[in-house]
Amino acid sequence: MTAGMDDSNQPSCEEAPGNFSLCRTVGLFTGDMRLCRKWVSRQNVMIQLLDWILRGMAQVMFVNNPLSGLLITAGLFLQNPWWALNSLLGTLVSTVSAIFLGQSSPVVSSALSTVASKWDLPIFTLPFNILVCLHVAATGANHPYFPQVDIQPHNHQHPRNDSTESLNIFQLFLSVPVGVGQVYGCDSPWTGGVILLGLLLSSPTICLHAMVGSAAGVLTGLALAAPLWDIYSGLWGYNSALSCIAVGGVFYVITWQTHLLAVICALFSAYMTSATSRLMSVLALPACTWPFCLSTLIFLLVSSEIPAICRLPLSVVSYPEESLRNRRRLKASEGVRRSQQGSGQEEEEEKALPKENRGTDNQSVEERGSV
């Protein structure tokens, strides 16, 4: 596998042989594991299918790494084995459906992608939101075969939240990893911690923004006097975590400006979570990840004259570290090209001068040199 390695896609290393080999070894398991994908492409369809499923499990968090997907799956089993099996089954069905239909994504995703591609925008989890809301609206709480949770109009006071309850700082800190776990519907801090390890394996930038986004949601919930139980259970963190990841390095090149934009987007997403939950509860529907989708799409459509706020075309979107390296290489190549153009222009101007002027100039240079 190392014989076909593309060094341009690996993290930069020192020239020392030991550091270089260590960096190559780490590069096999981090990022998007491009070498693994090339190896899998030459194997039988069952190995390829396993790779696709694990990558699909991680893609919920914008991660394209099978080992990260394996860790996330382990975290789901830690929370609830039945949930984990259903997650794997759903990923398997959607993947097989895409194969048989000859599409890169399931039916609803393919249809929405056709529309969103006109603006070069991602569809995020819009297919999930649409299908879940359609199913819940079609069945309802009293359905004999598919009963749903009876969602009541949002009440500011939660039955498990006493207005006199004091703030628990320890639970408040735990709500950050819990908010990350709630992206998969899990409320265990252990599951959230394992998911964060999976993100860290692929991209430290994504892991950082997941925690920052979830923390932003917690702070927004406190500022809006949300029920403490909702905050502790991570319901204020998952939309903000996804929004912060998307803006903070996935669809924008990571800079301090886009990092600040990601934090603002996370706060905005948390605020929209409150509003969307209230509106959807009137229709007896869950908020799902509508706040994340709407908030992030708004921030991806932001126009800025600041060069550091650079939205990436969907065709080149990768993990944050890779996008940052690509931009640095592009800047370096542009600098070399401009310097070459400048030297070439000087040579052309020199050639355009009359011969007597060029002789005079050369003579004056020689005279100055003799002086």
Side-chain angles (χ1 to χ4, degrees), residues 100-158:
F100 280 109
L101 294 174
Q103 297 173 332
S104 60
S105 54
V107 177
V108 179
S109 299
S110 179
L112 291 175
S113 297
T114 303
V115 178
S117 62
K118 299 183 183 298
W119 294 276
D120 198 35
L121 290 173
I123 60 172
F124 295 130
T125 54
L126 285 175
F128 159 76
N129 292 319
I130 292 173
L131 293 175
V132 168
C133 288
L134 282 177
H135 179 72
V136 172
T139 54
N142 299 320
H143 196 279
Y145 306 117
F146 305 103
Q148 305 294 330
V149 175
D150 188 13
I151 301 176
Q152 299 293 330
H154 187 75
N155 184 9
H156 195 70
Q157 280 295 331
H158 194 284

Side-chain angles (χ1 to χ4, degrees), residues 296-359:
T296 309
L297 287 174
I298 290 173
F299 274 75
L300 290 184
L301 290 171
V302 169
S303 59
S304 175
E305 297 180 357
I306 302 176
I309 302 179
C310 174
R311 183 163 76 90
L312 295 167
L314 291 184
S315 58
V316 299
V317 167
S318 181
Y319 58 98
E321 290 79 6
E322 175 68 10
S323 299
L324 183 59
R325 285 195 294 270
N326 288 338
R327 185 180 182 185
R328 287 174 178 172
R329 285 195 292 264
L330 180 61
K331 281 187 174 182
S333 61
E334 287 180 352
V336 172
R337 180 174 56 82
R338 288 176 182 175
S339 62
Q340 291 176 347
Q341 288 179 349
S343 60
Q345 185 176 2
E346 291 177 358
E347 291 177 358
E348 291 179 358
E349 292 176 354
E350 178 68 20
K351 292 179 181 178
L353 289 174
K355 291 184 177 180
E356 56 274 13
N357 290 348
R358 280 186 285 178

